[in-house]
Amino acid sequence: MSEVGCAQPAEDIRMEKELQDLFGKWQGTKGSLIPILQGAQEIYGYLPKEVLLKIARELKLPPSRVFGVVTFYAQFHLEPRGRNIVKVCLGTACHVRGGSKIYERMQEVLGVGDGETTEDLRYTLETVACLGCCGLSPVVMVNDDTHGRMEPEDLKSIVDQYE
Ligand code: FES
């Protein structure tokens, strides 16, 4: 089926305009690749391939350089991310207090593994090495909320609080 003539959804148009504004803001500025990537990720929630190609064209850089930077830094994401980021700590303090059981159960609850996002884009699951609150181990963080002294049976009701 041809897509020619299809109206572009308003959301796409808005994001494209914001991207063009971002290009305008950084036009002619040296070292603008990283801030443009950060800005584009804020607009789209991640960095779609076609957006990276537009950035490469705009900055007159080889696409391989842009992709190289994106894959080097953990802050950039090439896949859509969930509305809620669920982090399970597997650092030493959490590990000795059952962090791996928490992680196993969280994978069951969400139905995804490390670095993966649920199909409905509600959650992205990540493991981390320490969340800086070892006294509360084992720890799970959802967005900016810290949940300490977790038990596997607590997890479903916790993640269900986040739309
Ligand atoms: S090891 Fe888990 S919070 Fe530090």
Side-chain angles (χ1 to χ4, degrees), residues 89 91-94 130-134:
C89 184
T92 306
C94 289
C130 181
L131 287 164
C133 42
C134 310

Side-chain angles (χ1 to χ4, degrees), residues 28-29 33-34 45 57 94 101 136 143-144 156:
T29 308
L33 176 57
I34 300 258
R57 260 200 310 276
C94 289
K101 283 207 170 64
L136 296 175
N143 305 329
D144 294 328
K156 173 129 179 55

Side-chain angles (χ1 to χ4, degrees), residues 13-48 51-52 54-56 58-59 66 76:
I13 295 170
R14 179 188 63 75
M15 291 192 290
E16 177 64 28
K17 178 170 181 328
E18 285 184 24
L19 185 67
Q20 293 307 322
D21 290 349
L22 184 69
F23 289 158
K25 180 177 162 196
W26 289 98
Q27 198 171 33
T29 308
K30 275 200 172 152
S32 61
L33 176 57
I34 300 258
I36 286 179
L37 289 169
Q38 289 167 331
Q41 185 161 273
E42 265 177 41
I43 295 167
Y44 292 89
Y46 72 111
L47 291 168
V51 170
L52 294 179
K54 280 182 193 171
I55 292 171
E58 178 68 24
L59 298 181
V66 176
F76 296 125

